[in-house]
Amino acid sequence: GQPPVWSTYVSTDDADGAVARAQEAGGSVVVEPMQVMDAGRMAFVAHPAGGFVGLWEPARHTGAELVNEPGALNWNELHTRDVEGAKAFYSAVFGWTAADQDFGEMVYTVFNVGENGIGGMMPMPAGVPDEVPAYWLSFFAVDDCDGTVAKARELGGSVTVEAMDIPDIGRFAVLADPHGTTFGVVAPAQPEE
């Protein structure tokens, strides 16, 4: 009875240790750490502010080999009603630091590992029903945001957030496939020459 979703996994060098830290930080274990043949070790945890997140301890399969290219994953974004609680949870579990950016009507948080932004977080969008828990939204890079939106509609998908521009980021939209699984697409802004 659950809606289909994309699952976000975070790489870790110790899935068992990350699960223990998640529990200490108030999270619960959805899937205990388990070996996935010779590919790696996985687990899944949940936290009221931090949503559901997978843990991946790589062995033969290291994770995404192609990112930030058209058709590939390029960003994951947490939507939550408890931004401060999510900051505390992900700091405790993975050691991430959070940097807030003022976007006028909203503060957007970038999660960092060292100096590198590895994901984002924003307050739950207005109009989302109260029973919807915190969730991660996966974004995929595209060459043409508007063309991708049109193609998604043609193939039976729907548009949750119409295409719009974000200065210095690019043009993005949020789509749902014919089964209702939501994901974002973004045509990254081209650097000025």
Side-chain angles (χ1 to χ4, degrees):
Q2 296 297 310
V5 297
W6 284 89
S7 295
T8 295
Y9 283 79
V10 177
S11 183
T12 177
D13 58 3
D14 179 9
D16 296 270
V19 165
R21 290 189 301 276
Q23 289 177 301
E24 290 167 11
S28 59
V29 180
V30 178
V31 176
E32 292 285 346
M34 63 182 222
Q35 197 66 33
V36 182
M37 298 171 285
D38 65 346
R41 192 163 172 74
M42 68 159 285
F44 227 86
V45 297
H47 184 270
F52 292 83
V53 67
L55 310 170
W56 182 253
E57 181 182 330
R60 184 183 49 79
H61 176 62
T62 58
E65 294 180 17
L66 179 67
V67 294
N68 302 324
E69 297 290 333
L73 181 73
N74 78 331
W75 196 247
N76 284 290
E77 182 176 85
L78 177 64
H79 295 203
T80 182
R81 290 179 180 86
D82 182 2
V83 169
E84 294 306 315
K87 286 178 185 178
F89 178 74
Y90 286 106
S91 174
V93 177
F94 299 114
W96 295 352
T97 58
D100 290 339
Q101 300 176 356
D102 186 1
F103 277 90
E105 296 178 12
M106 177 189 78
V107 173
Y108 188 85
T109 303
V110 175
F111 287 120
N112 295 291
V113 172
E115 297 296 315
N116 297 317
I118 51 89
M121 175 174 55
M122 63 180 277
M124 187 72 71
V128 173
D130 290 344
E131 62 271 13
V132 174
Y135 64 91
W136 285 92
L137 181 64
S138 298
F139 282 83
F140 298 88
V142 296
D143 284 324
D144 176 3
C145 184
D146 295 280
T148 302
V149 168
K151 188 66 170 178
R153 281 187 168 122
E154 177 186 322
L155 296 172
S158 59
V159 179
T160 303
V161 176
E162 291 289 345
M164 68 176 69
D165 294 313
I166 298 179
D168 301 322
I169 303 294
R171 189 157 177 84
F172 88 101
V174 178
L175 308 174
D177 69 19
H179 303 284
T181 313
T182 59
F183 59 98
V185 294
V186 62
Q190 298 303 313
E192 293 183 21
E193 294 181 24

